[in-house]
Amino acid sequence: WVRVFAVVLATLIAAGLASKRGVLVAAIAAVVYGLMAICWAFARERTVAWSKRHPVLDGLVAVPLLFLALGYITTISTGLCAVAALLAGGLFVGLAAALRRRRGRLQPSR
């Protein structure tokens, strides 16, 4: 039931964004939240393992999430939401990758 709930929740979020921001933002939300829900619900262990192997690519998920959050919370234009998400997401990805690299160096080797 949890798996079904995750997919239904992603659909409801996309529908909410459609009513607030339009079809384009809703389509992006459907893809982003839908893929995240499917990965979490049906391949959680593989998703976590992939995330550990690819920290920069994993951090890139912040960009569409920031875009969708800005689109939902603010009234600024969709274009400005995209620019802000790209700038903030780039900063976040760099910081996250640096922290993961540092954490990996601090752990004792086996």
Side-chain angles (χ1 to χ4, degrees):
W1 290 106
V2 173
R3 293 175 180 171
V4 173
F5 177 71
V7 175
V8 169
L9 183 62
T11 305
L12 291 174
I13 291 171
L17 276 166
S19 68
K20 187 169 183 171
R21 281 297 192 146
V23 176
L24 176 64
V25 177
I28 294 169
V31 170
V32 171
Y33 292 132
L35 287 174
M36 288 176 64
I38 289 168
C39 289
W40 177 82
F42 300 106
R44 190 175 322 152
E45 293 81 21
R46 285 188 296 175
T47 302
V48 170
W50 181 89
S51 173
K52 288 179 181 178
R53 287 191 314 271
H54 305 285
V56 174
L57 291 175
D58 179 56
L60 284 175
V61 76
V63 175
L65 291 176
L66 285 168
F67 169 75
L68 293 170
L70 287 171
Y72 186 75
I73 294 169
T74 68
T75 58
I76 61 176
S77 72
T78 304
L80 285 176
C81 288
V83 170
L86 285 170
L87 293 174
L91 182 67
F92 175 79
V93 169
L95 287 173
L99 286 173
R100 284 187 179 189
R101 218 175 292 120
R102 181 173 181 211
R103 197 177 312 146
R105 277 192 235 129
L106 294 176
Q107 291 181 359
S109 58
R110 294 178 189 222

